[in-house]
Amino acid sequence: MKSGNQPYPVLPTRVDRRSDAYQHNVEANSEAILALEEALKASRAGGGERYVTRHHSRGKLLARERIEMLLDLDSHFLEL
């Protein structure tokens, strides 16, 4: 179903990108994505410097540090 210069057919849409509702949804989704990125960043940081220092002072490693020590160099790891 190729037509002209487009490799795939274009699906029709009724979405009005200029509508207030669309703009509101874009802003809400952008804010949600930023909040998720911040939460992921905080979780990767081990809960914050205070908790990392406490763990290390007790002679313990963070979960991600233990995993890194178990994995072979340059091996793939999928975190779910």
Side-chain angles (χ1 to χ4, degrees), residues 14-31:
R14 294 184 201 156
V15 174
D16 181 7
R17 295 176 138 190
R18 291 172 288 206
S19 72
D20 291 335
Y22 180 86
Q23 293 301 321
H24 173 74
N25 289 338
V26 167
E27 290 172 16
N29 284 327
S30 296
E31 289 174 15

Side-chain angles (χ1 to χ4, degrees), residues 23-65:
Q23 293 301 321
H24 173 74
N25 289 338
V26 167
E27 290 172 16
N29 284 327
S30 296
E31 289 174 15
I33 289 169
L34 289 175
L36 175 62
E37 288 173 349
E38 287 297 318
L40 289 171
K41 185 178 174 182
S43 92
R44 289 184 184 119
E49 187 61 36
R50 176 177 156 210
Y51 297 105
V52 172
T53 302
R54 184 190 312 170
H55 243 65
H56 289 163
S57 69
R58 294 176 180 171
K60 296 181 178 183
L61 296 172
L62 299 175
R64 283 186 174 78
E65 292 171 335

